């Protein structure tokens, strides 16, 4: 009985006995991968990759389809930011937020309609006359170039025939699509107007709805960036609109006094182009009035218009722009020009129009969050001082000061105080 209850004896370990370990059985060996068949995870990866590609294509197509809607929302956002100071001013004077937003929005719309009612009829008449006289202007320019510079331009009939052959189908299709364009314009105006009003009427509630999804630290940063964007966009657009209005008004008065035809459309073109196209906008805006004065009046009137454009640009740079744009962010002309070209190439005319406020906002945020350091003392960071004429009193004093400084440095180097 004792032998039955005793535990079975275990075989001695191979390490204890010193005998070599027995080889493992075939059933205990790990299964080796068959090179003739792909791993089991390959089909799964292929399916997931194909699904990711199709999802990316679908998302990209959806973004392309919603591109117009994104543009409408961007315009509405900028308009709401530009009108926000008016809404805030009305709220501080006891107006309710919704009523203040409606007053600011519809007030700006009525102001635009009033301006169009006052000058729209005359503007359209002069614009039609200007378009109707373009062939005569071309013939006059052709004769002047032929007589003065011996440059022969193609005749207007040949040019018109070439334009019809190249763009006739496009013009015909565009004419058929006028009704669709008008409907699309009305839809775009209503969409932008409604979104703009709701953004202005919501105001703090909209910002609170966004901030509820963020931590307190993130809320502070987002609200700070929101405030910077609002201030810069509002100041930038307001200053540009005022400067464009002043430029158009002064140009229109001068052209009317000079007797140049189509004064209003030319002045409006000059004001808008000179303010919303940086660096070269002034020259582009002033080139058309000069050309019209040259072809319709003569060389003296064209020179007078050119002199006025240059003189007004100096007046604007020295007086109007510093006063009106005191709070607006100034950008380097080269940077702003490149930004307008880039946005125009990607987003078209609307992108070129919105390029400057977007760039101003980005630069303001960068100036707020990026650390700036003190500059080192280097001649590469400043222009050299203008040397006075040799033999003058200032030149002699400067030479004496340099000699004295050199003498002091030499005495200190020799240990003489």
């Amino acid at each position: 009985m004792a032998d039955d209850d005793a535990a079975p004896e275990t075989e001695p370990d191979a390490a204890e006995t010193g005998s070599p370990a027995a080889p493992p059985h075939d059933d205990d060996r790990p299964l080796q991968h068959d090179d003739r068949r792909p791993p089991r995870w390959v089909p799964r990866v292929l399916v997931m990759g194909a699904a990711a590609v199709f999802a990316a294509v679908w998302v990209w197509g959806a973004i392309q389809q919603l591109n117009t809607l994104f543009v409408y929302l961007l315009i509405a956002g900028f308009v709401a930011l530009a009108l926000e100071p008016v809404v805030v001013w009305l709220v501080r004077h006891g107006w309710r937020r919704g009523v203040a937003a409606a007053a600011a929005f519809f007030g700006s719309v009525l102001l635009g309609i009033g301006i169009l009612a006052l000058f729209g009829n005359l503007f359209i008449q002069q614009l039609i006359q200007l378009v109707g006289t373009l062939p005569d202007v071309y013939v006059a320019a052709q004769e002047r170039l032929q007589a003065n510079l011996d440059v022969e331009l193609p005749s207007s009939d040949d040019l018109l025939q070439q334009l019809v052959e190249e763009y006739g189908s496009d013009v015909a299709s565009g004419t058929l699509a006028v009704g669709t364009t008008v409907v699309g314009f009305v839809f775009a105006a209503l969409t932008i107007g409604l979104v703009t009003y709701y953004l202005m009427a919501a105001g703090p509630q909209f910002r609170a709805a966004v901030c509820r999804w963020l931590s307190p630290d993130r809320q502070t940063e987002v609200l700070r960036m929101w405030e910077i964007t609002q201030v810069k966009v509002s100041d930038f657009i307001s200053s540009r609109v005022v400067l464009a209005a002043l430029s158009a008004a002064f140009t229109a008065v001068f052209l009317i006094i000079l007797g140049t035809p189509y004064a209003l459309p030319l002045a409006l073109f000059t004001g808008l182009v000179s303010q919303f196209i940086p660096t070269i906008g002034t020259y582009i805006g002033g080139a058309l009035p000069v050309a019209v004065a040259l072809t319709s009046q003569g060389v003296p009137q064209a020179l007078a218009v050119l002199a006025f454009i240059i003189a007004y640009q100096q007046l604007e740079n020295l007086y109007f722009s510093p006063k009106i744009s005191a709070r607006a962010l100034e950008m380097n002309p080269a940077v702003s020009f490149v930004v307008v070209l880039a946005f125009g190439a990607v987003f078209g005319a609307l992108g070129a129009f919105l390029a400057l406020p977007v760039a101003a906002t980005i630069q303001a945020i960068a100036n707020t969050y990026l650390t700036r350091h003190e500059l080192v003392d280097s001649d590469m960071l400043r222009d050299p001082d203008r040397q006075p004429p040799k033999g003058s009193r200032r030149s002699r004093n400067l030479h004496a000061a340099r000699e004295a400084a050199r003498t002091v440095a030499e005495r200190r180097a020799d240990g003489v105080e």
Side-chain angles (χ1 to χ4, degrees):
M1 297 296 295
D3 294 338
D4 295 338
D5 296 336
E9 296 181 359
T10 59
E11 297 182 357
D13 192 6
E16 297 177 357
T17 60
S19 60
H25 298 287
D26 293 340
D27 296 339
D28 298 336
R29 293 179 180 178
L31 295 177
Q32 299 295 326
H33 173 65
D34 188 1
D35 295 336
R36 295 172 299 178
R37 301 178 59 186
R40 288 180 294 180
W41 52 266
V42 170
R44 185 183 306 171
V45 171
L46 292 178
V47 171
M48 294 177 63
V53 170
F54 281 111
V57 171
W58 182 83
V59 171
W60 179 254
I63 292 175
Q64 294 295 324
Q65 295 295 327
L66 297 175
N67 185 28
T68 304
L69 180 60
F70 290 154
V71 172
Y72 293 164
L73 296 179
L74 183 62
I75 297 175
F78 274 103
V79 174
L81 290 175
L83 295 178
E84 182 67 17
V86 180
V87 178
V88 172
W89 185 84
L90 293 176
V91 171
R92 288 177 179 174
H93 287 75
W95 292 52
R96 296 179 58 185
R97 181 81 188 190
V99 179
F105 177 75
F106 290 107
S108 61
V109 172
L110 292 177
L111 179 62
I113 294 176
I115 294 175
L116 290 178
L118 290 175
F119 302 101
N121 188 22
L122 181 59
F123 175 83
I124 292 175
Q125 290 179 1
Q126 291 191 354
L127 184 62
I128 293 175
Q129 293 176 3
L130 176 61
V131 174
T133 57
L134 284 180
D136 298 334
V137 173
Y138 181 79
V139 171
Q142 181 184 16
E143 294 176 353
R144 289 181 182 274
L145 291 176
Q146 178 69 27
N148 298 329
L149 301 177
D150 196 17
V151 176
E152 185 176 357
L153 296 177
S155 63
S156 58
D157 295 336
D158 296 339
L159 185 62
L160 182 61
Q161 182 179 0
Q162 183 180 0
L163 292 176
V164 170
E165 292 176 356
E166 293 184 0
Y167 303 103
S169 59
D170 295 337
V171 173
S173 60
T175 304
L176 295 176
V178 168
T180 306
T181 303
V182 172
V183 174
F185 175 78
V186 173
F187 174 77
L190 291 177
T191 303
I192 294 172
L194 288 175
V195 175
T196 301
Y197 171 74
Y198 285 130
L199 287 177
M200 291 190 301
Q205 288 79 11
F206 179 70
R207 291 188 286 270
V210 173
C211 290
R212 283 194 182 97
W213 297 91
L214 305 173
S215 62
D217 295 338
R218 295 295 182 183
Q219 293 179 22
T220 303
E221 297 297 328
V222 168
L223 292 176
R224 187 179 181 185
M225 293 176 59
W226 202 308
E227 183 179 6
I228 293 172
T229 304
Q230 177 178 308
V231 170
K232 293 304 177 182
V233 170
S234 177
D235 292 344
F236 186 87
I237 294 180
S238 301
S239 63
R240 291 296 171 178
V241 169
V242 172
L243 289 174
L246 287 175
S247 177
F250 277 89
T251 305
V253 170
F254 180 81
L255 294 179
I256 291 174
I257 294 175
L258 192 62
T260 304
Y262 324 116
L264 285 181
L266 291 176
L268 183 60
F269 175 81
T270 301
L272 292 177
V273 172
S274 63
Q275 298 306 319
F276 290 99
I277 298 181
T279 308
I280 63 173
T282 301
Y283 308 105
I284 297 176
L288 185 59
V290 172
V292 172
L294 177 63
T295 55
S296 61
Q297 293 180 294
V299 176
Q301 289 79 1
L303 293 177
V305 174
L306 179 61
F308 167 78
I309 295 294
I310 296 175
Y312 178 79
Q313 184 64 28
Q314 300 304 317
L315 177 64
E316 180 183 284
N317 292 336
L318 296 176
Y319 185 76
F320 289 153
S321 185
K323 297 292 184 181
I324 297 174
S325 303
R327 295 180 57 193
L329 181 65
E330 295 295 336
M331 289 182 294
N332 184 278
V335 175
S336 58
F337 181 62
V338 172
V339 167
V340 170
L341 291 181
F343 274 69
V346 177
F347 302 105
L350 180 62
F353 179 78
L354 297 176
L356 293 181
V358 171
T361 302
I362 295 174
Q363 185 172 347
I365 294 174
N367 291 338
T368 302
Y369 288 96
L370 296 182
T371 303
R372 293 194 174 191
H373 304 279
E374 295 183 0
L375 297 176
V376 298
D377 187 11
S378 175
D379 293 336
M380 297 295 293
L381 300 178
R382 58 179 177 270
D383 291 329
D385 295 334
R386 187 174 63 88
Q387 296 294 331
K390 293 184 178 180
S392 63
R393 183 176 180 181
R394 182 184 175 189
S395 178
R396 293 194 300 269
N397 293 337
L398 183 60
H399 180 71
R402 289 176 179 175
E403 290 296 332
R406 187 182 297 110
T407 302
V408 171
E410 291 176 355
R411 290 171 62 89
R412 289 180 177 176
D414 297 337
V416 180
E417 295 295 338

